[in-house]
Amino acid sequence: MIFPVTVYGDPLLRMKAKPIEKDHEGLREIIANMWETMYNSDGVGLAAPQTGLSIRLFVIDASSGADEEPELKDFKKVFINPEIIETSGEEWIMNEGCLSLPEIREDVSRPDKVKIKYLDENFVTHTEEYAGYAGRIIQHEYDHLEGILFIDHLSPLRKRLLKARLRNIATGKVRPPYRIKVPVK
Ligand code: NI
């Protein structure tokens, strides 16, 4: 089942998401639906709050980065209750987009490396470090669990310039080619 994607203006995107218990009802189905929703909207990552669920879960398929980073060929991972232990390395800029901010793309600066502890879909704990494209997507998706959007990393000026477009998203005037849940005014 494809979830409607929550967009800018939805209070759920600004909430800190709750940890998941192992017996969380329907978790396997939620994960399957998140993959379906992500692929349907051509995303490379999707966090649960973007599907209307305020829980600590995101999925990432970074295989589209394999042209430049061959090790990403099979990178398809589920992150449950992730904790960023540290970020390090030099900050670099990437032009980011987000399914919850349709038609907006901006250059965002983030540290290169991220060390993250998380549970996979079988509730096995992993602690790993990622850099480059995967590290970038992980940081973006993790932000969603903290109620942070990539526009929050922009300068106040840049953000001010987006104000009208953000308002259009929040009031349902922007219609991306995937199903969205228009925030209730
Ligand atoms: Ni996003």
Side-chain angles (χ1 to χ4, degrees):
M1 189 198 88
I2 292 167
F3 290 118
V5 175
T6 52
V7 294
Y8 181 84
D10 195 312
L12 208 121
L13 289 176
R14 290 314 200 173
M15 283 164 57
K16 193 172 156 81
K18 298 244 165 14
I20 300 175
E21 301 290 332
K22 203 171 175 174
D23 57 0
H24 189 95
E25 207 189 317
L27 185 60
R28 292 215 164 258
E29 205 183 334
I30 290 169
I31 292 169
N33 290 340
M34 282 179 64
W35 283 125
E36 201 181 336
T37 305
M38 190 195 83
Y39 288 122
N40 175 258
S41 47
D42 284 325
V44 294
L46 187 71
Q50 297 181 276
T51 61
L53 302 166
S54 193
I55 52 175
R56 301 188 79 78
L57 161 69
F58 59 78
V59 298
I60 290 179
D61 184 337
S63 56
S64 60
D67 286 350
E68 287 183 29
E69 300 172 43
E71 69 277 14
L72 294 178
K73 191 166 69 73
D74 302 310
F75 191 111
K76 187 179 166 180
K77 284 179 196 286
V78 176
F79 295 78
I80 295 170
N81 297 343
E83 283 169 56
I84 288 187
I85 295 165
E86 61 171 0
T87 55
S88 60
E90 259 189 66
E91 293 222 350
W92 60 284
I93 289 168
M94 192 177 119
N95 193 253
E96 294 189 23
C98 178
L99 297 175
S100 297
L101 293 162
E103 296 179 14
I104 292 182
R105 294 199 71 91
E106 290 288 330
D107 286 347
V108 180
S109 179
R110 299 185 192 265
D112 186 41
K113 291 180 193 155
V114 56
K115 191 172 179 184
I116 190 167
K117 185 178 170 189
Y118 66 97
L119 304 168
D120 64 22
E121 61 271 49
N122 300 310
F123 278 79
V124 176
T125 306
H126 302 264
T127 303
E128 288 155 2
E129 189 168 61
Y130 293 99
Y133 189 56
R136 168 68 53 155
I137 307 171
I138 287 169
Q139 290 178 71
H140 176 120
E141 299 309 330
Y142 184 87
D143 271 355
H144 278 300
L145 307 186
E146 297 294 306
I148 297 167
L149 299 170
F150 81 77
I151 49 169
D152 301 335
H153 294 282
L154 305 177
S155 69
L157 171 66
R158 209 53 238 163
K159 208 172 163 179
R160 206 151 58 234
L161 292 172
L162 291 173
K163 223 176 149 189
R165 291 166 69 195
L166 291 172
R167 199 181 316 119
N168 286 344
I169 295 173
T171 52
K173 293 194 188 83
V174 179
R175 292 293 175 155
Y178 45 89
R179 234 174 103 213
I180 58 166
K181 176 176 171 274
V182 175
V184 182
K185 279 203 283 176

